[in-house]
Amino acid sequence: YLTCWCPLDDSNEENGTIRLLPFSKVPLSRSQILPHPRDPSTNDLIGWNSEEGAITIDVAAGSVVAFSSRLLHASSANRTNSMRRVYLAQYTSEVMLNPGTRHLRRNAIPLLRKGQRIMSR
């Protein structure tokens, strides 16, 4: 799916902006997903452990950083006393169902079905 990372505050390395690892730096093809072990102290999924090759994205509030969900990405801790808020929207043309319950995953809200707008409930 497409991820749109939209900072509501200026975002930089000091306050924990997003970092992306280009596909050219990943040892697998774009159709494969690397294992993501869970960090027990933060509950984060970790896809890579090195900063080598990562691109830090410094952006102003109101910007949009759009990337594939298959692109390895991370943000670091906010080391300032100010907030670093982000609005995150994700889009997919496929229905995202929880494999166990077959219900919509996470906070998924369907907007279109077969090209037609779905009325809100």
Side-chain angles (χ1 to χ4, degrees):
Y1 46 87
L2 173 69
T3 296
C4 295
W5 193 85
C6 312
L8 303 176
D9 302 294
D10 290 348
S11 192
N12 56 55
E13 195 169 350
E14 275 297 300
N15 68 5
T17 193
I18 196 157
R19 295 182 323 278
L20 305 173
L21 188 64
F23 286 119
S24 62
K25 304 293 182 185
V26 179
L28 302 173
S29 75
R30 291 182 192 190
S31 63
Q32 294 174 296
I33 297 175
L34 288 172
H36 285 63
R38 191 171 297 278
D39 181 331
S41 63
T42 64
N43 208 33
D44 290 333
L45 294 173
I46 309 299
W48 91 91
N49 290 322
S50 171
E51 292 303 311
E52 187 176 332
I55 299 171
T56 300
I57 310 292
D58 291 346
V59 291
S63 300
V64 177
V65 180
F67 55 92
S68 165
S69 60
R70 293 188 176 273
L71 186 67
L72 290 175
H73 56 281
S75 61
S76 56
N78 184 345
R79 298 185 304 262
T80 72
N81 292 325
S82 301
M83 293 179 66
R84 193 264 301 148
R85 300 168 296 172
V86 172
Y87 176 76
L88 183 74
Q90 295 176 311
Y91 302 92
T92 179
S93 60
E94 300 173 359
V95 177
M96 290 179 60
L97 298 178
N98 181 312
T101 64
R102 303 299 295 160
H103 291 108
L104 289 173
R105 275 183 84 177
R106 301 185 183 146
N107 297 320
I109 300 170
L111 301 174
L112 299 173
R113 183 175 290 130
K114 296 184 181 178
Q116 299 299 311
R117 182 172 164 234
I118 296 175
M119 301 304 288
S120 59
R121 297 177 200 182

